[in-house]
Amino acid sequence: MNHFLKKALATFGVIAVSVSFIAAYNVQAKGNSFNQATTLTTKDSTTTQNIKTPKYIFLFIGDGMSYPQIQSASYYLGANESNGGVQTQKLSFMNFPVAGSAQTYDSTSFCPDSASTATSISTGNKTYSGTINMDTSKTVKYETIAEQLKEQLGYKIGILTTVNLNHATPAAFYAHQASRSNYYEIGQEMIASNFDYFAGGALLKPTGKNEDKTSIYDLAKASGYKVITTQKEAENLTATDGKAIVIAEQLADSDSLSYSIDAESNEWTLSDYVAKGIEVLDNEKGFFMMVEGGKIDWACHANDAGSSINDTIALSSAVDEAIKFYNEHPDETLILVTGDHETGGLTIGYAGTNYDTYLTNLNNQKISYAKFDSNYVANYKANQTDFNDVLKDIKKEFGLLTSNDQEALLAKNANLVLTDYELNQLMKAYERTLTKGTSKQNEMTQEEYALYGTYEPLTVTITHLLNNKSGISFSSYSHTGLPVPVFAVGVGSELFEGYYDNTDIYNNLATLTKVK
């Protein structure tokens, strides 16, 4: 069992959150730790005078997270808790008394992207994939719920993410751009937002596409932001320091936070940034905090179930920090947990395992696909490493075995032994990695793209094999059209029950807070 799983199981063992199943819209969860502070006669009531405005609002977005990502994490924890048995271990937000489902399509597709779906959540409007808070003509700008709460109610605003701070989802709460790739312009809007607390990965293109512009970090400092780049500075940050931008000290792929499976024991994860955010944002007028688990999406694009599961658990641990705050302010707080879309077509079940799953196999994965690429594959390419030596690393980091391994080890891990068919797949992927590496889709055959996507052939084949041997599979390297769950607890949470469009997340928040 890896160190993160041990930490997660210990956390879940401490947090006791009971469930109240609600059948009516008039919600009163009695006898549990989630005390509902408001009631409505019906969800569609046009009367809002009895709705209490939440003073503290947490919006958690698991990028690429839908039902499969959540359930696979729950089953994984349960299987480990029961030594491979069929048992679930709920993530913290699965205990919330209200649950709904939101459709995610945009003006472009039933398989939308993060820019458009986050626009729907933050403004209540549909737009094209790739567009942030602008209409389909790309001329009209939409004001976000975060901007409205700051301007109209004086709330402090926090934007947190495990990926880059000017990536699509966080940007959708403060920026207005025709293209999500306008990273420098998004960074400028980030500074102009005057929001109070930003935390996450480093900015993309901070000096512009041609690296010839004034650094966004320098502009931030000139605008009164304290820019923090070390964990010690982050630990010492207080509300008296004023506006802050916190960049993780230990940056991983694409200057994001580490995947949870890769994080060192003393390295800050999303939950630490949420805890610090609560500390610096708490004030008499109230606050709004958007927290993105962005690398769930990245892991699923790469078909890496182990990393997806660990980052989904990490998001749950971050929600735990909000729950602690909620339990101190149950009559003033609203917590929402949702996704923007599903990524990868993740499925619990695989043709080769029929009606069985072997989720504890995933304990053998010690490293994300991205870190395996940087720590191992780069050296394989440079040194043309022998395949037999590569197999030793695969055994060490993913637990996959060959028939040449020790008999005792085979007897203990029989379902991790590669068949001749699987070993041949791995050999072909290894050869392609050493000769061609990654390629664009238009440079690949249909078969090659189906096998590898645009990822490192060796690495994605390793994760595919371990996924499949665990009873997990993926159907895509892109997004899918699944609806996403919406979990809610606290003031006005009853509005989020039912089956609706993702634009209604904004509409319900606007109704509750009475912003216009």
Side-chain angles (χ1 to χ4, degrees), residues 176-197:
H176 317 79
Q177 294 291 326
S179 172
R180 60 180 289 173
S181 298
N182 295 341
Y183 296 119
Y184 188 79
E185 292 78 8
I186 290 171
Q188 290 177 308
E189 288 200 77
M190 174 180 158
I191 304 309
S193 73
N194 206 35
F195 288 177
D196 303 274
Y197 176 70

Side-chain angles (χ1 to χ4, degrees), residues 343-366:
T343 299
L346 173 63
T347 302
I348 302 170
Y350 172 64
T353 57
N354 298 316
Y355 293 96
D356 295 317
T357 57
Y358 305 95
L359 297 181
T360 53
N361 282 350
L362 292 169
N363 290 334
N364 292 281
Q365 182 172 342
K366 306 297 192 302

Side-chain angles (χ1 to χ4, degrees), residues 52-302:
K52 182 177 179 181
T53 297
K55 183 176 178 181
Y56 310 107
I57 302 172
F58 295 88
L59 173 58
F60 290 86
I61 300 176
D63 198 318
M65 184 185 80
S66 184
Y67 295 96
Q69 285 73 20
I70 294 167
Q71 208 64 54
S72 60
S74 173
Y75 288 166
Y76 170 72
L77 289 171
N80 278 288
E81 183 73 13
S82 59
N83 195 28
V86 180
Q87 180 176 309
T88 65
Q89 172 72 61
K90 286 188 175 182
L91 305 182
S92 57
F93 51 84
M94 294 172 75
N95 289 311
F96 285 7
V98 174
S101 295
Q103 299 178 100
T104 63
Y105 69 92
D106 67 9
S107 301
T108 304
S109 174
F110 290 119
C111 301
D113 89 324
S114 295
S116 61
T117 52
T119 293
S120 292
I121 293 170
S122 68
T123 73
N125 294 285
K126 298 287 187 183
T127 192
Y128 289 141
S129 289
T131 300
I132 295 176
N133 295 331
M134 297 187 76
D135 72 348
T136 53
S137 72
K138 300 183 180 181
T139 59
V140 177
K141 297 180 179 180
Y142 299 131
E143 194 172 24
T144 74
I145 186 68
E147 293 172 314
Q148 291 169 329
L149 289 172
K150 186 165 188 65
E151 294 167 6
Q152 298 176 35
L153 300 185
Y155 282 22
K156 286 190 173 183
I157 307 296
I159 304 295
L160 293 71
T161 181
T162 57
V163 297
N164 315 92
L165 281 170
N166 54 349
H167 218 265
T169 301
F173 288 83
Y174 61 78
H176 317 79
Q177 294 291 326
S179 172
R180 60 180 289 173
S181 298
N182 295 341
Y183 296 119
Y184 188 79
E185 292 78 8
I186 290 171
Q188 290 177 308
E189 288 200 77
M190 174 180 158
I191 304 309
S193 73
N194 206 35
F195 288 177
D196 303 274
Y197 176 70
F198 292 94
L203 294 168
L204 294 167
K205 307 292 184 184
T207 56
K209 294 178 181 178
N210 299 320
E211 300 184 354
D212 58 353
K213 298 183 182 295
T214 303
S215 170
I216 295 296
Y217 297 116
D218 291 335
L219 294 176
K221 292 173 185 177
S223 297
Y225 278 93
K226 183 170 186 176
V227 178
I228 292 172
T229 56
T230 70
Q231 192 166 299
K232 185 175 181 180
E233 287 179 290
E235 291 168 353
N236 294 330
L237 179 67
T238 68
T240 59
D241 289 313
K243 299 180 299 182
I245 297 173
V246 181
I247 306 297
E249 180 175 358
Q250 292 176 265
L251 294 171
D253 50 313
S254 300
D255 283 343
S256 63
L257 270 65
S258 298
Y259 280 102
S260 293
I261 199 171
D262 298 328
E264 299 294 332
S265 57
N266 62 344
E267 182 178 345
W268 267 27
T269 58
L270 190 59
S271 61
D272 297 295
Y273 292 103
V274 171
K276 178 57 67 172
I278 292 170
E279 178 186 339
V280 300
L281 292 174
D282 192 10
N283 72 100
E284 285 304 311
K285 286 189 176 181
F287 65 75
F288 171 87
M289 185 188 297
M290 191 290 296
V291 183
E292 182 200 21
K295 298 193 78 170
I296 300 169
D297 174 71
W298 291 14
C300 288
H301 274 294

